[in-house]
């Protein structure tokens, strides 16, 4: 992890497209301004984590119907064999 010290109105560049500016410092709070292309999503960590959880839950929910469809033909085949 790179750790940098910055004062108010100073900035940090990430690549050529992303600039992080220290807008204000009050006590233990730091306000940041972020300039980035629209193609680069920028989120607070807790929002990012929530988005990732939703994606994972959606992916798992999509897998469930597939698993149920695979089980159904086997159940039908087993009942046919019993007759």
């Amino acid at each position: 992890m790179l750790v940098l010290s910055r004062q108010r109105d100073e900035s940090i560049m990430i690549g050529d497209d992303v600039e992080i500016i220290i807008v204000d410092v009050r006590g233990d709070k730091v306000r940041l301004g972020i300039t980035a292309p629209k193609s680069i999503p920028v989120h607070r960590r807790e929002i990012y984590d929530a988005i990732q959880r939703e994606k994972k839950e959606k992916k798992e929910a999509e897998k469930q119907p597939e698993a149920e469809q695979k089980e159904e033909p086997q159940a039908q085949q087993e009942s046919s064999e019993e007759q």
Side-chain angles (χ1 to χ4, degrees):
M1 173 189 305
L2 174 64
V3 179
L4 302 172
S5 297
R6 300 277 73 199
Q7 294 180 6
R8 186 172 175 236
D9 296 325
E10 293 183 335
S11 64
I12 299 166
M13 293 298 299
I14 300 176
D16 294 329
D17 298 329
V18 179
E19 181 178 20
I20 301 173
I21 303 166
I22 308 306
V23 176
D24 196 16
V25 179
R26 290 185 186 175
D28 63 346
K29 298 227 179 190
V30 178
R31 295 185 72 203
L32 303 174
I34 302 168
T35 304
K38 290 185 184 263
S39 61
I40 298 176
V42 177
H43 302 287
R44 295 187 326 248
R45 181 61 190 224
E46 60 273 19
I47 300 299
Y48 174 82
D49 290 343
I51 291 169
Q52 295 306 310
R53 271 193 310 275
E54 287 178 17
K55 285 181 181 179
K56 183 179 178 183
E57 290 169 3
K58 183 178 178 182
K59 190 174 183 180
E60 289 173 358
E62 289 173 354
K63 285 184 179 180
Q64 278 186 332
E66 291 175 10
E68 291 171 3
Q69 288 175 358
K70 289 178 183 177
E71 291 175 9
E72 282 182 23
Q74 288 177 339
Q76 291 173 356
Q77 185 179 11
E78 289 173 4
S79 65
S80 298
E81 291 173 359
E82 291 174 3
Q83 293 176 356

